[in-house]
Amino acid sequence: MTIQFITTNAGKFAEVSEKLAAASVKLVHLDRGYPEIQTDRLEKVLKYAATGLDDEVKGDYLIDDSGLFIEALGSFPGVYSAFVQKKLGNRGILKLMAGERYRAAFFETVLLLRQGEEHEVFHGDCAGTIAESERGRNGFGYDPIFQPQGETRTFGEMSLQEKNAISHRARAVDVLLTHLSATKEL
């Protein structure tokens, strides 16, 4: 089975393709963006994007929207995570968190799969905390400042395989794989 993964984020492609390859699902990287609306939920962003992509992309495709939700900041950056990463980066988030003792956060990923005329949505999340400083050079985005619950290292300090064993995106892919297996697509 081959699915196009539409993303401009090479890190997302690496994580998802590594996870799906183990289940004999091949991803083809379609390096392009898509329109995103300003809304309060990741799922709404993807459903809106699919309305345009359905007319522009032939065949089955997968899209991903993910966010970092920091409780002390009222769930900021949330659905605006990519924009905030570009504008503030990890140092900006750490500056906003300076002196904050309550550092709980979670990552959420929503995947949307189009097969034929149907859309299916799959969710995954990962609870953790915001580290006091950037640690590690692996991964991308907020990985060096996010420490998953039960771990002593940030995602930035983990290998791709270690992160893919516990991350929000990996959990969403696991739900996707369960769906594909149940529908006999694998």
Side-chain angles (χ1 to χ4, degrees):
M1 161 179 243
T2 301
I3 300 172
Q4 299 172 89
F5 187 34
I6 302 170
T7 183
T8 58
N9 186 319
K12 286 182 180 184
F13 180 76
E15 289 178 14
V16 175
S17 62
E18 194 263 348
K19 189 103 170 132
L20 288 178
S24 300
V25 177
K26 181 181 178 191
L27 281 189
V28 175
H29 189 187
L30 187 53
D31 188 7
R32 64 161 286 182
Y34 46 81
E36 294 187 21
I37 60 169
Q38 302 299 309
T39 184
D40 61 340
R41 290 183 37 234
L42 298 171
E43 188 171 325
K44 288 181 185 178
V45 173
L46 291 180
K47 286 183 175 180
Y48 177 81
T51 62
L53 290 172
D54 284 352
D55 293 334
E56 299 170 13
V57 177
K58 296 198 183 325
D60 298 342
Y61 67 77
L62 183 69
I63 52 179
D64 167 315
D65 200 20
S66 299
L68 173 64
F69 297 80
I70 303 171
E71 292 183 27
L73 300 179
S75 293
F76 181 80
V79 296
Y80 309 107
S81 291
F83 176 78
V84 171
Q85 179 61 223
K86 287 177 192 162
K87 296 298 182 185
L88 298 179
N90 292 335
R91 288 190 178 136
I93 292 295
L94 291 174
K95 188 174 181 180
L96 289 173
M97 293 293 292
E100 180 62 53
R101 300 183 96 205
Y102 184 65
R103 305 183 77 82
F106 68 93
F107 264 120
E108 180 182 2
T109 289
V110 178
L111 298 173
L112 182 142
L113 173 67
R114 184 197 60 190
Q115 285 187 296
E117 301 299 317
E118 300 297 317
H119 295 118
E120 296 286 339
V121 177
F122 310 94
H123 297 262
D125 60 33
C126 182
T129 57
I130 301 300
E132 296 284 339
S133 62
E134 291 185 83
R135 300 192 328 251
R137 297 180 191 266
N138 295 331
F140 61 94
Y142 298 107
D143 287 354
I145 65 169
F146 184 79
Q147 184 174 320
Q149 189 172 15
E151 295 289 329
T152 58
R153 298 174 299 159
T154 66
F155 278 154
E157 296 172 294
M158 296 179 183
S159 69
L160 173 65
Q161 292 76 22
E162 290 170 322
K163 181 182 176 188
N164 260 356
I166 62 172
S167 79
H168 50 293
R169 187 165 295 106
R171 290 174 180 170
V173 171
D174 287 342
V175 178
L176 166 65
L177 286 170
T178 299
H179 167 77
L180 292 175
S181 179
T183 59
K184 310 268 190 279
E185 294 291 333
L186 290 180

